Amino acid sequence: MRLVIARCSVDYAGRLTAHLPLAPRLILVKADGSVSIHADDRAYKPLNWMSPPCTLKEGSGDDAGVWTVVNKAGEKLIITMEEILHDSSHELGVDPGLIKDGVEAHLQELLADRIETLGEGYTLIRREYPTAIGPVDILCRDADGATVAVEIKRRGEIDGVEQLTRYLDLLNRDPHLAPVKGVFAAQEIKPQARVLATDRGIDCAVLDYDALRGIEDDKLRLF
């Protein structure tokens, strides 16, 4: 990971245009190719970003200090540096992934054992399917043989949808798996997360913990 703190302005050109005026900011360049711009007052959320796959070109000559990030859709993030205050790179290695709490882990185990509750004809490929950016909770196939990636949360929020989106981007590059659909499964799904998932073509499944354990009606509500 590369960390750059700089006085910079940022321009985005794509489906819309956006401009960040000159100010001190943190720029993160991750090993997966993503680039994000951060201020000091927005917690983890970036001011602007470009998700992988994308390419970063650092200018030279008259364009020295200008970074141009381009994604596969041709959208551009142009970062113009006035002054670089810090520039360092760090090798973080492969992350071991999030350690789930007992409920999430048990939900994954129960759903894997009863994968047909996602739909008639569903079959399990494996739990904790490994990828370069972490394991997918469940990888399975639907009745038509299409690959489905399932991300499981106790409480479904926007972060979980973003996480599943990254997995889908990666899995869909594998010709042996593509096309891969997504299911975002949780005991409770926040409205904003549902809207984002729907916009990205991801199905949402509300999990009933007791039903999966066989205590109540075993129907899974898929929306």
Side-chain angles (χ1 to χ4, degrees), residues 18-220:
H19 174 71
L20 293 172
L22 187 68
R25 297 189 176 94
L26 168 65
I27 304 166
L28 296 183
V29 183
K30 294 187 178 181
D32 64 3
S34 64
V35 178
S36 56
I37 316 296
H38 298 261
D40 206 16
D41 62 349
R42 293 167 60 90
Y44 63 89
K45 188 174 182 181
L47 297 164
N48 214 326
W49 68 93
M50 194 70 80
S51 299
C54 57
T55 58
L56 167 62
K57 180 181 179 181
E58 298 185 41
S60 58
D62 292 340
D63 292 328
V66 178
W67 290 10
T68 303
V69 187
V70 184
N71 68 10
K72 62 181 179 181
E75 298 167 319
K76 293 183 179 180
L77 193 66
I78 301 170
I79 307 168
T80 304
M81 314 279 191
E82 181 180 88
E83 180 184 9
I84 294 178
L85 306 172
H86 175 85
D87 188 347
S88 63
S89 297
H90 308 270
E91 181 60 52
L92 302 185
V94 178
D95 191 87
L98 180 68
I99 298 175
K100 300 177 181 297
D101 67 24
V103 174
E104 281 190 17
H106 200 202
L107 280 171
Q108 182 192 119
E109 180 182 352
L110 290 168
L111 187 57
D113 287 342
R114 305 178 66 183
I115 197 65
E116 71 281 354
T117 55
L118 284 175
E120 186 176 352
Y122 270 67
T123 56
L124 179 69
I125 296 176
R126 69 166 289 175
R127 291 171 54 195
E128 298 288 334
Y129 185 87
T131 76
I133 57 174
V136 178
D137 286 340
I138 290 178
L139 199 69
C140 56
R141 295 193 187 279
D142 65 14
D144 297 323
T147 311
V148 181
V150 184
E151 179 63 28
I152 299 172
K153 299 292 183 187
R154 187 160 56 95
R155 177 179 297 169
E157 300 185 0
I158 284 177
D159 284 356
V161 179
E162 294 284 8
Q163 183 180 358
L164 179 54
T165 299
R166 292 192 293 271
Y167 288 143
L168 291 172
D169 285 344
L170 191 63
L171 293 170
N172 273 300
R173 298 180 213 169
D174 186 339
H176 300 292
L177 298 175
V180 184
K181 301 187 296 183
V183 172
F184 186 52
Q187 289 180 284
E188 173 193 1
I189 298 178
K190 296 295 185 179
Q192 299 92 333
R194 186 182 297 278
V195 169
L196 181 61
T198 301
D199 181 67
R200 295 183 176 179
I202 295 171
D203 288 328
C204 291
V206 177
L207 302 176
D208 187 320
Y209 185 62
D210 288 334
L212 285 172
R213 294 166 63 201
I215 294 176
E216 297 178 356
D217 182 11
D218 65 356
K219 290 182 180 178
L220 179 70

